[in-house]
Amino acid sequence: VQLQASGGGLVQPGGSLRLSCAFSGFTLDYYAVGWFRQAPGKEREGVSCISGSAGSAYYSNSVKGRFTLSRDNAKNTVSLRMSSLKPEDTAVYYCAAGDYCSFTGSIRHIYSGQGTLVTVSS
């Protein structure tokens, strides 16, 4: 099982980034998928997730309206489009697959990747 996240980098406040995650070694169809993040010195925070039944995406209050999550089961990929980025969005972002997605965008993950660093700074 592998989850390969990409797309992180340095961006100015107000800018946009698109994170991608490629899953391999298992079929994504029946898993909830999403992203969580961890900033230096802070606890891990759920960002967004979609249930395994491919219903609506859910988001944490801190990113709602700015981030958009999508999944492509045929390609075994998940993407997170981030816009209007703020310095407080700076964190390592991890993609994950699991068995539950909460209404607050937190995924109960079974598998997670190595993370990709997003830095929002001028």
Side-chain angles (χ1 to χ4, degrees):
V1 173
Q2 281 193 322
L3 288 78
Q4 184 67 47
S6 61
L10 173 64
V11 62
Q12 292 187 342
S16 299
L17 276 178
R18 183 174 178 269
L19 305 183
S20 296
C21 185
F23 298 76
S24 60
F26 66 105
T27 302
L28 202 56
D29 298 37
Y30 303 106
Y31 287 86
V33 294
W35 296 81
F36 59 90
R37 66 187 182 186
Q38 188 159 23
K42 295 187 176 181
E43 292 188 356
R44 189 174 66 196
E45 175 191 11
V47 174
S48 180
C49 56
I50 300 177
S51 69
S53 58
S56 299
Y58 298 103
Y59 303 90
S60 67
N61 286 335
S62 60
V63 308
K64 195 174 297 182
R66 301 187 296 120
F67 289 14
T68 302
L69 180 68
S70 61
R71 67 187 291 169
D72 188 333
N73 288 352
K75 295 182 179 180
N76 255 24
T77 59
V78 173
S79 296
L80 183 70
R81 175 68 177 174
M82 307 184 296
S83 60
S84 302
L85 283 162
K86 305 174 182 179
E88 51 264 43
D89 293 319
T90 295
V92 178
Y93 285 71
Y94 299 87
C95 58
D99 60 359
Y100 178 71
C101 170
S102 76
F103 293 125
T104 58
S106 291
I107 185 171
R108 186 168 64 199
H109 71 277
I110 299 171
Y111 307 115
S112 62
Q114 86 288 356
T116 184
L117 176 63
V118 173
T119 303
V120 184
S121 175
S122 55

